[in-house]
Amino acid sequence: MGAVALAAGVAYAVLGLVKLATFRATTFDLVIVDQAVRNYAGLRPPYIPVRGMFGDRGMDYVQLADHFSPLYAVLAPFYWIHDAPGTLIVAQAALFAAAIPFVWLFTRRVLGTWPAYLVCVAYALSWPVAQAVAFDVHEAMFVPVLTAIMIERYHAGRMLPAFLAMTALLLVKEDMGLMVIGAGACLIALGDRWRGVLSALLGLGAVLLVRGLTISVFGGDAKDYWAYGHLGDDLPGAVLGILRDPLAAVLLAFSEEAKVDTLLLMVWPTLLLCLLSPLSLAALPHVLVRMLADRPQWWQADFHYSAFTVVILLCAGVDGLSRLLRLIRRPGDRSLKLAWAAGACVVALTLVPRFALDQLYHPGFYTEPKAAAAAEAVAKVPSGVIVEAANSVGPALTSRTTVLLWSATSHGAPWVVADTSRWEFPFGSPEQQLAAVGELEARGYVRVFERDGYVVLRRD
């Protein structure tokens, strides 16, 4: 189990660090998190000027106003050792791998030792984790280990650490109260009614408090990430809309091919047996919120969103098999337990080529033709300045400058690092990027470097 966790952590770290070194990490979101954690490490509020200026909220915009993720503060001590975004990538890799011992303990108790090893391999290779570690860093890094602790410790009868882990989920992101509500529903279904009701009320209270008050207190707007205008103008309106026509809401969750694909990909790694377990209720609210949104990136399997629920569904598959064996009166059948665990492992293996871990065994992943030019462009920018940087360049500058995202709207920074040869968020095309460089020159910026599409400009 330790070897599996170590190998997984190394693989995840390599994937992220190679993307960082070859200028394939991004300002949105790696620099955002880096700025927050660096400020925590300096015992300052978690200012994220890159996000604040992009949203016209100012340089002193705090991360807690964007997403309520105070748990990022626990990463600050690592910046006292090494102050760089690579530290976040390694920490994220370690956190994703840290779920493995708890998944192993839970599975061994339910199915036995050898199935536990196979299930841990299935988690380590799982596509939701692969996609998460391949796309910068996100608050999702905390959720697998916390949900694994919550499930395993509760199953072991250790209520205090289980409920501490559940409470810690509320510090990960503003919508984690939904997961706590789901955990409460799971406990009620398991017969632990009073703990279930208290958990559901805790989750509901957290959602209402954070979205209704806390984010606005820190200077944010809860509507920034409101993606349910088709259901209602706000949370109460959306709830009423769903209650008025629940069938339409259910059908909406399956209304796009991408939604159906993602849902199938979430349950297929357990050979659908997660659907037999009450544990799946813990994941249900979070999954429904994704599928009911009007933002396609939330539905798709390409990003990190499925990593929030991967451990819950995998453990639900373990529990679902146990329940199925009891139903068919073969609870002690070791061969069936081993066969299912092997099947889950094989499914994870077959999905590897489709997702991000596939890059690790392709030599081309470790090289980037434009990396040398990007490094030379970055070296032209002096330390301690404010720089508007292309999305793929910001992570290389954030350790020694204040990075803002280069966009069509200039913020008047004294330095700009642009990329005109390939598409960079938030532009629509390289042609727009080239035009933006021309506009900067018309305003008095001077080119001090140009190579392979990278352009460094200084304001006179």
Side-chain angles (χ1 to χ4, degrees):
M1 177 268 298
V4 174
L6 179 60
V10 170
Y12 302 155
V14 168
L15 185 61
L17 291 173
V18 169
K19 296 191 76 171
L20 176 63
T22 54
F23 295 86
R24 282 175 281 181
T26 62
T27 298
F28 271 42
D29 296 308
L30 182 54
V31 172
I32 293 174
V33 182
D34 171 80
Q35 290 179 342
V37 176
R38 176 172 287 103
N39 279 304
Y40 276 129
L43 304 181
R44 298 181 295 270
Y47 298 121
I48 48 171
V50 63
R51 181 67 181 89
M53 295 301 289
F54 183 75
D56 295 323
R57 304 281 173 83
M59 296 284 284
D60 59 351
Y61 188 64
V62 296
Q63 193 277 326
L64 299 174
D66 185 43
H67 287 303
F68 184 73
S69 305
L71 205 57
Y72 278 137
V74 304
L75 302 178
F78 297 105
Y79 265 51
W80 301 339
I81 301 170
H82 184 62
D83 179 359
T87 300
L88 295 175
I89 291 172
V90 173
Q92 175 172 264
L95 284 166
F96 276 117
I100 290 175
F102 297 98
V103 172
W104 186 82
L105 287 170
F106 174 77
T107 308
R108 185 187 64 169
R109 195 179 300 121
V110 177
L111 300 182
T113 300
W114 284 108
Y117 283 113
L118 291 169
V119 168
C120 285
V121 172
Y123 166 80
L125 297 174
S126 64
W127 68 266
V129 174
Q131 295 308 102
V133 297
F135 182 39
D136 296 339
V137 295
H138 299 87
E139 62 282 330
M141 70 175 84
F142 298 105
V143 178
V145 65
L146 289 176
T147 52
I149 293 171
M150 178 179 70
I151 293 169
E152 189 280 324
R153 290 291 80 191
Y154 182 86
H155 188 260
R158 302 292 298 275
M159 300 302 164
L160 180 59
F163 283 93
L164 286 176
M166 177 190 291
T167 303
L169 285 171
L170 300 175
L171 304 179
V172 172
K173 196 178 179 184
E174 64 276 4
D175 61 357
M176 284 294 96
L178 296 172
M179 189 171 288
V180 175
I181 292 172
C186 171
L187 293 179
I188 293 171
L190 291 172
D192 194 350
R193 291 182 177 81
W194 73 270
R195 287 194 183 97
V197 170
L198 288 177
S199 297
L201 290 175
L202 174 65
L204 178 61
V207 170
L208 295 177
L209 177 64
V210 173
R211 292 194 66 88
L213 178 62
T214 306
I215 287 179
S216 60
V217 165
F218 284 109
D221 187 342
K223 292 184 178 180
D224 285 347
Y225 295 99
W226 181 250
Y228 309 95
H230 54 301
L231 296 175
D233 293 333
D234 50 25
L235 181 60
V239 171
L240 288 174
I242 292 172
L243 291 176
R244 280 195 295 267
D245 195 350
L247 179 59
V250 171
L251 294 176
L252 182 61
F254 302 92
S255 61
E256 300 283 344
E257 184 178 350
K259 295 181 182 182
V260 176
D261 286 346
T262 299
L263 289 170
L264 288 175
L265 280 169
M266 293 174 73
V267 299
W268 175 236
T270 69
L271 305 180
L272 308 184
L273 291 190
C274 62
L275 301 176
L276 300 180
S277 172
L279 282 175
S280 293
L281 292 172
L284 183 60
H286 193 271
V287 173
L288 280 178
V289 163
R290 287 178 60 194
M291 297 301 136
L292 294 178
D294 60 13
R295 301 188 181 184
Q297 64 268 31
W298 291 9
W299 319 329
Q300 297 165 0
D302 296 334
F303 301 104
H304 58 286
Y305 301 106
S306 295
F308 285 95
T309 52
V310 60
V311 163
I312 295 173
L313 294 176
L314 190 58
C315 290
V318 172
D319 181 60
L321 174 65
S322 177
R323 291 173 180 273
L324 178 62
L325 292 177
R326 290 198 299 269
L327 183 65
I328 63 175
R329 299 182 180 180
R330 298 177 65 177
D333 194 321
R334 295 182 180 179
S335 61
L336 287 178
K337 293 176 181 178
L338 190 60
W340 175 83
C345 193
V346 169
V347 169
L349 280 167
T350 61
L351 290 174
V352 166
R354 182 173 171 181
F355 293 98
L357 290 180
D358 175 71
Q359 299 172 91
L360 290 173
Y361 49 82
H362 290 291
F365 172 65
Y366 299 91
T367 60
E368 166 56 47
K370 292 184 55 174
E376 193 174 351
V378 165
K380 299 296 181 182
V381 180
S383 298
V385 301
I386 298 174
V387 54
E388 294 180 49
N391 194 38
S392 62
V393 175
L397 285 162
T398 186
S399 295
R400 58 184 183 85
T401 67
T402 299
V403 173
L404 307 180
L405 182 65
W406 176 53
S407 67
T409 302
S410 174
H411 299 294
W415 290 83
V416 176
V417 181
D419 184 355
T420 61
S421 65
R422 61 181 177 184
W423 173 77
E424 294 273 4
F425 174 82
F427 290 93
S429 67
E431 290 74 22
Q432 291 183 7
Q433 294 157 215
L434 187 62
V437 169
E439 291 175 8
L440 289 171
E441 290 178 309
R443 294 176 57 182
Y445 281 82
V446 177
R447 295 193 188 206
V448 297
F449 174 82
E450 183 175 4
R451 178 183 168 189
D452 292 348
Y454 289 105
V455 180
V456 179
L457 304 108
R458 185 187 68 236
R459 189 183 64 197
D460 281 349

